[in-house]
RNA sequence: GCCCCCUUGGCGGAACUGGUAGACGCAAGGGACUUAAAAUCCCUCGGCCUCGGCCGUGCCGGUUCGAGUCCGGCAGGGGGCACCA
C-alpha cells in the first residue's frame, strides 16, 4: 500500500477551522466541571510574532489541551499588552499614530498566532489600549484613591535637558540621553504612587504558601521586599561644625554591633544636611550636582566609582562624647533608603572599606573569626562580614555580633538626646511604593484634575473614561498630552472653574497587573464580575519569562490585594502555579562594524565550509558575515524565524514538537533548521505508521493479548503513565523522549500485529489510538488526521484522556546493578520486592562478585530494594 | 556593585527525594534497498589503553558504603536592580 506523505499545509487549516466551528475552545462560566485557568504572559505587539514568542504559548497550549482532555473546564485566553514606548517611537520615526501602529501590529500578530493552532478562547481577547479596558483601569484607580492606596509625592526622573523630556532608564546610555547625547540630569517631579508598602508584610509572608512557584522566584521576591531588623540611631552634631538649626543626624543600621568600628558618616546628596552644607560651600554644591547627573537607576549608581566629599560637619559618637566623626556626602547613599544617611564601618563592609581607603579614614576591626588573634588581626583590602567575636569595642568585647546588637540597642534605647531616646529598634523594608506616573502619551490617562482652588480632584465616575485624544503630534519632544490644550483644559468637577487634567499616564505595568482578572469577564461594565473572578481565579498555571520574576509578579500580587479591598474579587494571590520558561535563541549574522554594522536575517544567509570552518555568506552579495553568539530573537538583530516560515514548509506541529523537544522548558532553546527537519521526520513517521494500518485494524477486545500484542500493550500503557506524569510536571522534553522511545519500540511490533489475529489487530488499534492521544496536546493537527485514519468520527480534541491499565505497567522482575566499593561490577535479575537476605545470597553467588572478593568476606552489604546493591569489601 | 540562577559527549539534553552517568534527539561514520538520488531500514558513536580495565558530569576541597545530585571555595555564562516589556 502506498501512502501519501502527510501534508500539513492542507491538514492544519482544515482542523483549525473544524475546532473553531465546533467552538471547542470557547469557555462558558456555567459549567459543572472543575475549572482550570492556564495563562501565558500576554505579548507586547511589537510588530511580528517570531517563533520565540510561540514557545511559551505552545507550552500553555499543551497544558490546556491536556487538562481539557482530563475533564477540566479550561480557560485559556489571549490578549495584548498594548501600551508602551515602542508605539511612540514608531510615531516619531514614521509619523504614524501610536494607536494605528499598535492595532495594525495586533492584527498581523493575531493571524500569525492562529497559524500555530493554539487552543485559545479568542472570544475573550482584548488589548490594554482598548478604551473599554483602560476605562475600567481608571475606575480601579479611583477605587484605590478612595481606599488611600494612591497618593502623590516628589520623585526623581531622568531629565534630558536638550530634548526637554523625561527619559526611561533604557533611554539613558552611559549617562547620556539616547537621542540628544546630552548628559542626563535628575529632576524632582510630583508623581502618583501606589501604596504597595501597605502590604509589605503580607506580600512577604504569603510567599511561603506559594508552593507552586519556583523557589528562586520566591527568594528573589523575598530579597526584593527586604525585611530587616535594625536600629534607628540618632547622632548628635558637634555644635561648632553644624549648620544653623541642625542638631542631629539620624541613620538606620542593621549592624549597630559595629558601632565602635565607625569611622565616618555618609549622607545622600539631597539629604537636608547636604543641601545646607552646599549652600555655604561651592565645592560641596558642585559635588552634589555631579551626583544628580548620575541617572536614577540603582545599577548605574552602584557600579559607579564610590566618591564623597567631607562636609566639615562632625558628629559625636553616642558612646564617647570625646569622639567625633566626619560627615561625608557620598554618591552611593540614596535618600530613598532608610533615612538617607549611614554610618560607615570600613572593617565590616566592603563598600565602606573602599571608601575609607580612598579618603584615608581609620579602619578598626571590630569582628574577627573566633579562632583569630586579636593582636595580629587586621583589615586592609577585604572587609570581614562573617560571624565571629567582638574586638576593639569596649564593653562589647568578647560578645557575638548578635549579643552586641542587643547590648547596643538596649543601652541606647534608655539614653536620651534632646529628651528622646538615642535609638529605637525598627523593622524596615527595602520595598518602596510604586511610582506609576509616566510623562507620555501612549498609556492609560490618570483620571485626576488639578484645580487651583480645590486641589487635586478625581474625575467623576460618570465622566469616565478619560479618553486619549486622537489629534496629537509627535513633532516636538515631550508629552503630547501636556501640549494638547483642548484636552488638557477642563472644568473642575468640584467648583466648576477652569482647571487642568493630569497629563501623566500610568506605567504599563499597571495594565498587566490585572488583565488576568479581566479575562474572567472581559466585557463586563465593571472591572470584574466578582462571582466570575472568584470562580476562575487564581490562575492555575501561569507561564512566562524569568525576567518578570520580581516586578510584574509583585505588582500583580499587590493589585489582587488592592482589588480585594475595593470589592472586585476575594483572594490575595493571583497565580497558584508559576512556570518560568526559557527563550528561543538563534545565531546572529553581521557585516560591518560599529555604526556601519548591518544585521542579516537567517533567510538571507547560506552556509559554506571554508578550510573546515563554517562560514555564513550573505546570499545576495556573497559577502561573509560574522556569526554571532546565540541571542534572544529580536527584531533589531534580525535573528528571528516567523511562524509562517515554518508553517509554509514543515507545519505548525513540527515547530511545536521541535520547540518542546530536547531543551527543558525553563531553559533556552536554540532554533536550528536541522532540529526542525528531525522533528518533521518524526511527524511523517507517525503518519506512516497510522496510515499503514488504516482499514486493517479496529477497536476490539484486547484482554487476551499475547506475544507481540501484549508487548505492544505493555509498552503503550507504560508510556501513557510516564507521559501523563511528564505533562503534569511540565516536563515536555521528557514526554517527547518517552514518545520517541515508544515509537521506536512500537514500529516493528505494529508491522507484525496489524495483520495478525483479531486480538492482535485490536491491540494495534488501541496502541495507535493511545499514541495519538499522547501526541495530541503537542501536535494537535497531526493527531486529528491520524485519529480520523483510525476510524474515529469525534475529534480527538474533544476526546477524554485515556487511562493506563495498572496491571500492564508493573514488571515482575527487576534488574539490580551490583557495586563493589561503589563501582559497578555487574547486575542481577531478581523478582520485584525480593527479600534483602535473598538478594544478598544471590549476589554472593555470582561469578563477578566472587572474582572481585577473591575469597574475602564482605564487610557490609547495602541493599536498596529495587534500586541497587553495594558490597563494601 | 548587590540579589537570583545555570555549567554533563561533537551538539541539545536524560538520570524523579544521594543509588547502573550519557535515555531520547541532532550531527557524524559504516551498511542495506535503488540504474541513481531522495525517502526508509540496520549498525557504530565520551576519552584512554594491554579488551580486561582505568579515567570522566566547569575547577579545587569535603560529607557518604555510594555524589552530576548535598556542603564550602573558585572560575565562566545568563536574568533582575524599581521609567524596556
Amino acid at each position: 500500500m502506498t501512502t501519501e506523505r502527510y501534508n500539513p499545509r492542507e491538514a492544519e487549516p482544515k482542523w483549525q477551522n473544524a475546532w473553531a466551528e465546533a467552538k471547542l475552545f470557547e469557555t462558558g462560566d456555567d459549567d459543572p466541571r472543575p475549572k482550570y485557568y492556564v495563562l501565558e504572559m500576554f505579548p507586547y505587539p511589537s510588530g511580528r510574532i517570531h517563533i520565540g514568542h510561540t514557545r511559551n504559548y505552545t507550552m500553555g497550549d499543551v497544558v490546556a489541551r491536556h487538562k481539557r482532555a482530563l475533564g477540566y473546564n479550561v480557560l485559556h485566553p489571549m490578549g495584548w499588552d498594548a501600551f508602551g514606548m515602542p508605539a511612540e517611537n514608531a510615531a516619531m520615526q514614521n509619523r504614524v499614530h501610536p494607536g494605528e501602529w499598535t492595532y495594525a501590529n495586533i492584527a498581523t500578530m493575531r493571524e500569525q498566532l492562529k497559524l500555530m493552532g493554539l487552543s485559545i478562547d479568542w472570544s475573550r481577547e482584548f488589548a490594554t489600549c482598548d478604551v473599554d479596558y483602560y476605562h475600567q483601569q481608571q475606575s480601579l484607580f479611583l477605587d484605590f484613591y478612595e481606599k488611600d492606596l494612591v497618593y502623590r509625592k516628589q520623585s526623581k526622573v531622568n531629565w534630558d535637558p536638550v530634548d526637554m523630556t523625561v527619559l526611561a532608564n533604557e533611554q539613558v546610555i552611559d549617562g547620556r540621553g539616547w537621542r540628544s547625547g546630552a548628559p542626563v540630569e535628575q529632576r524632582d517631579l510630583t508623581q502618583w504612587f501606589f501604596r504597595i508598602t501597605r502590604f509589605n508584610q503580607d506580600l512577604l509572608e504569603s510567599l511561603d504558601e506559594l508552593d507552586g512557584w519556583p523557589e528562586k522566584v520566591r527568594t528573589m521576591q523575598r530579597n526584593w521586599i527586604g525585611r530587616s531588623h535594625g536600629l534607628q540611631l540618632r547622632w548628635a552634631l558637634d555644635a561648632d561644625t553644624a549648620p544653623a538649626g541642625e542638631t542631629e543626624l539620624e541613620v538606620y543600621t542593621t549592624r549597630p554591633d559595629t558601632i565602635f568600628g565607625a569611622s565616618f558618616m555618609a549622607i545622600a546628596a539631597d539629604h537636608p544636611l547636604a543641601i545646607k552644607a552646599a549652600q555655604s560651600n561651592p565645592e560641596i554644591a558642585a559635588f552634589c550636582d555631579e551626583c544628580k547627573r548620575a541617572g536614577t537607576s540603582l545599577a548605574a549608581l552602584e557600579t559607579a566609582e564610590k566618591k564623597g566629599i567631607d562636609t566639615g560637619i562632625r558628629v559625636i559618637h553616642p558612646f564617647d562624647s570625646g569622639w567625633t566623626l566626619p560627615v561625608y556626602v557620598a554618591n552611593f547613599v540614596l535618600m530613598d533608603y532608610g533615612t538617607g544617611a549611614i554610618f560607615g564601618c570600613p572593617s565590616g563592609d566592603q563598600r565602606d572599606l573602599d571608601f575609607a581607603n580612598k579618603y584615608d579614614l581609620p579602619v578598626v576591626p571590630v569582628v574577627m573569626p573566633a579562632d583569630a588573634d586579636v593582636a595580629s588581626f587586621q583589615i586592609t583590602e577585604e572587609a570581614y562580614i562573617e560571624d565571629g567575636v567582638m574586638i576593639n569595642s569596649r564593653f562589647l568585647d568578647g560578645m557575638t555580633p548578635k549579643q552586641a546588637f542587643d547590648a547596643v540597642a538596649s543601652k541606647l534605647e534608655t539614653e536620651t538626646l534632646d529628651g528622646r531616646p538615642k535609638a529605637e529598634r525598627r523593622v524596615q523594608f527595602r520595598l518602596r511604593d510604586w511610582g506609576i506616573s509616566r510623562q507620555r502619551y501612549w498609556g492609560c490617562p490618570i483620571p485626576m484634575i488639578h484645580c487651583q482652588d480645590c486641589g487635586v480632584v478625581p474625575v467623576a465616575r460618570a465622566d469616565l473614561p478619560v479618553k486619549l485624544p486622537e489629534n496629537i503630534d509627535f513633532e516636538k519632544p515631550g508629552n503630547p498630552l501636556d501640549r494638547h490644550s483642548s484636552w488638557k483644559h477642563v472644568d473642575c468637577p468640584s467648583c466648576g472653574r477652569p482647571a487642568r487634567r493630569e497629563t501623566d499616564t500610568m506605567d504599563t505595568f499597571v495594565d498587566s497587573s490585572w488583565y488576568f482578572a479581566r479575562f474572567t469577564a472581559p466585557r463586563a461594565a465593571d472591572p470584574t464580575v466578582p462571582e466570575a473572578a472568584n470562580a476562575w481565579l487564581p490562575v492555575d498555571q501561569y507561564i512566562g519569562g524569568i525576567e518578570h520574576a520580581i516586578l510584574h509578579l509583585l505588582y500583580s500580587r499587590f493589585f489582587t490585594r488592592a482589588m480585594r479591598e475595593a470589592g472586585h474579587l476575594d483572594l490575595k494571590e493571583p497565580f497558584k502555579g508559576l512556570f518560568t520558561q526559557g527563550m528561543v535563541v538563534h545565531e546572529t549574522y553581521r557585516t560591518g562594524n560599529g555604526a556601519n554594522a548591518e544585521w542579516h536575517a537567517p533567510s538571507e544567509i547560506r552556509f559554506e565550509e571554508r578550510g573546515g570552518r563554517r562560514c555564513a555568506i550573505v546570499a545576495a552579495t556573497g559577502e561573509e558575515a560574522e556569526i554571532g553568539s546565540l541571542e534572544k530573537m529580536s527584531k533589531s538583530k534580525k535573528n528571528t524565524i516567523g511562524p509562517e516560515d515554518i508553517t509554509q514548509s514543515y507545519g505548525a506541529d513540527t515547530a511545536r514538537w521541535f520547540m518542546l523537544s530536547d531543551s527543558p522548558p525553563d531553559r533556552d532553546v536554540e532554533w536550528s533548521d536541522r532540529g526542525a527537519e528531525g522533528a518533521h521526520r518524526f511527524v511523517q513517521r507517525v503518519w506512516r505508521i497510522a496510515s499503514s494500518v488504516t482499514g486493517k485494524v479496529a477497536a476490539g477486545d484486547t484482554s487476551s493479548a499475547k506475544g507481540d500484542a501484549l508487548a505492544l500493550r505493555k509498552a503503550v500503557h507504560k508510556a501513557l503513565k510516564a507521559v501523563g506524569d511528564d505533562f503534569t510536571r511540565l516536563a515536555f522534553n521528557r514526554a517527547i523522549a518517552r514518545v520517541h522511545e515508544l515509537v521506536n519500540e512500537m514500529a516493528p511490533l505494529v508491522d507484525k500485529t496489524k495483520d495478525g489475529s483479531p486480538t492482535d489487530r485490536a491491540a494495534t488499534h488501541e496502541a495507535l489510538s493511545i499514541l495519538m492521544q499522547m501526541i495530541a496536546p503537542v501536535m494537535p493537527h497531526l493527531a486529528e488526521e491520524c485519529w480520523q485514519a483510525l476510524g474515529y468520527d469525534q475529534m480527538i480534541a474533544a476526546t477524554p484522556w485515556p487511562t493506563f491499565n495498572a496491571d500492564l505497567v508493573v514488571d515482575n522482575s527487576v534488574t539490580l546493578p551490583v557495586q563493589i566499593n561503589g563501582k559497578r561490577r555487574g547486575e542481577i535479575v531478581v523478582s520485584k520486592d525480593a527479600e534483602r537476605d535473598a538478594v544478598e545470597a544471590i549476589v554472593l553467588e555470582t561469578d563477578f562478585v566472587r572474582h572481585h572478593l577473591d575469597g574475602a568476606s564482605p564487610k557490609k552489604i547495602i541493599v536498596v530494594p529495587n534500586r541497587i546493591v553495594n558490597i563494601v569489601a
Side-chain angles (χ1 to χ4, degrees), chain A residues 46-53 112 584-589 599-604 631-646 671 673:
Chain A
S46 55
R48 299 187 67 76
I49 286 277
H50 57 70
I51 211 83
H53 292 110
Q112 287 183 293
V584 179
V585 295
H586 197 278
E587 294 176 335
T588 56
Y589 311 103
W599 303 92
H600 302 274
S603 56
E604 302 166 26
E631 292 189 56
K632 180 176 178 172
M633 286 190 176
S634 79
K635 226 166 111 178
S636 60
K637 299 211 169 145
K638 289 196 182 173
N639 60 337
T640 59
I641 307 278
E644 54 285 314
D645 294 332
I646 190 103
W671 182 267
D673 292 338

Side-chain angles (χ1 to χ4, degrees), chain A residues 327-385:
Chain A
V327 177
Y328 277 73
V329 179
N331 65 349
F332 58 87
V333 180
L334 292 174
M335 200 58 218
D336 294 338
Y337 289 109
T339 61
I342 61 157
F343 77 75
C345 173
S347 62
D349 183 286
Q350 192 60 42
R351 200 167 49 178
D352 294 350
L353 180 62
D354 295 343
F355 192 82
N357 284 340
K358 182 165 181 162
Y359 295 104
D360 276 330
L361 295 159
V363 179
V364 180
V366 285
V367 182
M368 68 169 192
D371 56 358
D373 173 44
V374 187
S376 62
F377 186 70
Q378 282 199 342
I379 298 281
T380 53
E381 294 301 320
E382 204 173 325
Y384 182 74
I385 54 171

Side-chain angles (χ1 to χ4, degrees), chain A residues 48-280:
Chain A
R48 299 187 67 76
I49 286 277
H50 57 70
I51 211 83
H53 292 110
T54 61
R55 186 170 178 231
N56 76 327
Y57 309 138
T58 304
M59 289 178 193
D61 199 45
V62 173
V63 173
R65 287 176 181 272
H66 182 226
K67 292 292 179 189
R68 214 175 270 119
L70 285 172
Y72 290 90
N73 183 32
V74 171
L75 176 57
H76 185 212
M78 178 61 70
W80 309 93
D81 189 13
F83 276 134
M85 287 204 309
E88 295 199 12
N89 293 339
M92 284 178 244
Q93 280 158 19
N94 310 324
R95 298 183 170 221
V96 54
H97 189 279
E100 198 183 309
W101 181 85
T102 303
Y103 281 107
N105 286 348
I106 288 173
T108 307
M109 291 170 75
R110 183 193 300 115
E111 289 318 301
Q112 287 183 293
L113 264 189
K114 286 190 172 178
L115 293 174
M116 298 303 293
L118 303 168
S119 65
I120 284 168
D121 181 353
W122 287 102
S123 73
R124 292 177 187 251
E125 177 194 358
F126 59 78
T128 56
C129 64
D130 292 346
V131 175
D132 175 61
Y133 186 80
Y134 71 71
H135 175 180
Q136 302 306 326
Q137 188 161 303
Q138 290 170 344
S139 161
L140 286 174
F141 182 96
L142 296 181
D143 292 338
F144 294 0
Y145 185 73
E146 284 164 17
K147 297 284 175 192
D148 192 33
L149 286 163
V150 181
Y151 67 101
R152 292 212 307 161
K153 71 170 177 184
Q154 290 254 307
S155 161
K156 291 181 183 54
V157 293
N158 298 307
W159 179 257
D160 186 321
V162 171
D163 278 352
M164 305 285 281
T165 191
V166 176
L167 299 177
N169 281 337
E170 71 156 10
Q171 295 174 317
V172 179
I173 296 155
D174 297 330
R176 291 167 181 275
W178 65 328
R179 284 180 198 281
S180 68
V184 168
E185 296 170 8
Q186 289 182 10
R187 265 217 177 175
D188 272 315
L189 293 182
T190 303
Q191 307 199 65
W192 291 98
F193 282 79
F194 283 154
R195 213 183 287 279
I196 188 170
T197 55
R198 181 181 293 174
F199 302 106
N200 50 22
Q201 184 68 32
D202 185 35
L203 287 167
L204 181 68
E205 284 171 0
S206 301
L207 286 170
D208 295 340
E209 283 132 51
L210 289 175
D211 51 12
W213 284 33
E215 193 53 49
K216 65 176 170 184
V217 175
R218 294 198 278 173
T219 306
M220 280 192 265
Q221 292 219 348
R222 276 188 200 105
N223 291 336
W224 187 261
I225 296 168
R227 187 182 140 110
S228 65
H229 295 266
L231 217 54
Q232 192 98 352
L233 190 57
R234 299 162 63 224
W235 299 62
L237 298 186
D238 170 25
D240 296 341
T241 61
E246 298 290 336
T247 59
E248 63 173 62
L249 176 61
E250 194 165 37
V251 305
Y252 174 79
T253 178
T254 57
R255 294 294 306 273
D257 50 304
T258 65
I259 196 160
F260 289 103
S263 62
F264 64 94
M265 313 296 287
I267 60 176
D270 44 356
H271 190 278
L273 263 189
I275 292 165
K276 285 206 175 168
Q279 279 164 1
S280 57

